[in-house]
PDB file of all heavy atoms in Angstrom:
ATOM      1  N   ILE A 250      37.366  13.620  49.957  1.00 69.00           N
ATOM      2  CA  ILE A 250      37.532  13.227  51.363  1.00 69.00           C
ATOM      3  C   ILE A 250      38.937  13.574  51.850  1.00 69.00           C
ATOM      4  O   ILE A 250      39.129  14.037  52.969  1.00 69.00           O
ATOM      5  CB  ILE A 250      37.248  11.724  51.529  1.00 69.00           C
ATOM      6  CG1 ILE A 250      35.737  11.491  51.494  1.00 69.00           C
ATOM      7  CG2 ILE A 250      37.811  11.180  52.825  1.00 69.00           C
ATOM      8  CD1 ILE A 250      35.330  10.057  51.683  1.00 69.00           C
ATOM      9  N   LEU A 334      26.157 -50.980  36.590  1.00 94.00           N
ATOM     10  CA  LEU A 334      27.352 -50.139  36.673  1.00 94.00           C
ATOM     11  C   LEU A 334      26.993 -48.839  37.373  1.00 94.00           C
ATOM     12  O   LEU A 334      26.115 -48.096  36.924  1.00 94.00           O
ATOM     13  CB  LEU A 334      27.888 -49.854  35.267  1.00 94.00           C
ATOM     14  CG  LEU A 334      29.245 -49.157  35.192  1.00 94.00           C
ATOM     15  CD1 LEU A 334      30.355 -50.082  35.676  1.00 94.00           C
ATOM     16  CD2 LEU A 334      29.523 -48.687  33.757  1.00 94.00           C
ATOM     17  N   SER A 458      44.543 -34.692  55.534  1.00 89.00           N
ATOM     18  CA  SER A 458      45.401 -35.153  56.623  1.00 89.00           C
ATOM     19  C   SER A 458      44.931 -36.500  57.156  1.00 89.00           C
ATOM     20  O   SER A 458      43.735 -36.823  57.115  1.00 89.00           O
ATOM     21  CB  SER A 458      45.402 -34.126  57.759  1.00 89.00           C
ATOM     22  OG  SER A 458      44.126 -34.063  58.373  1.00 89.00           O
TER      23      SER A 458
END
Side-chain angles (χ1 to χ4, degrees):
I250 283 182
L334 188 69
S458 67

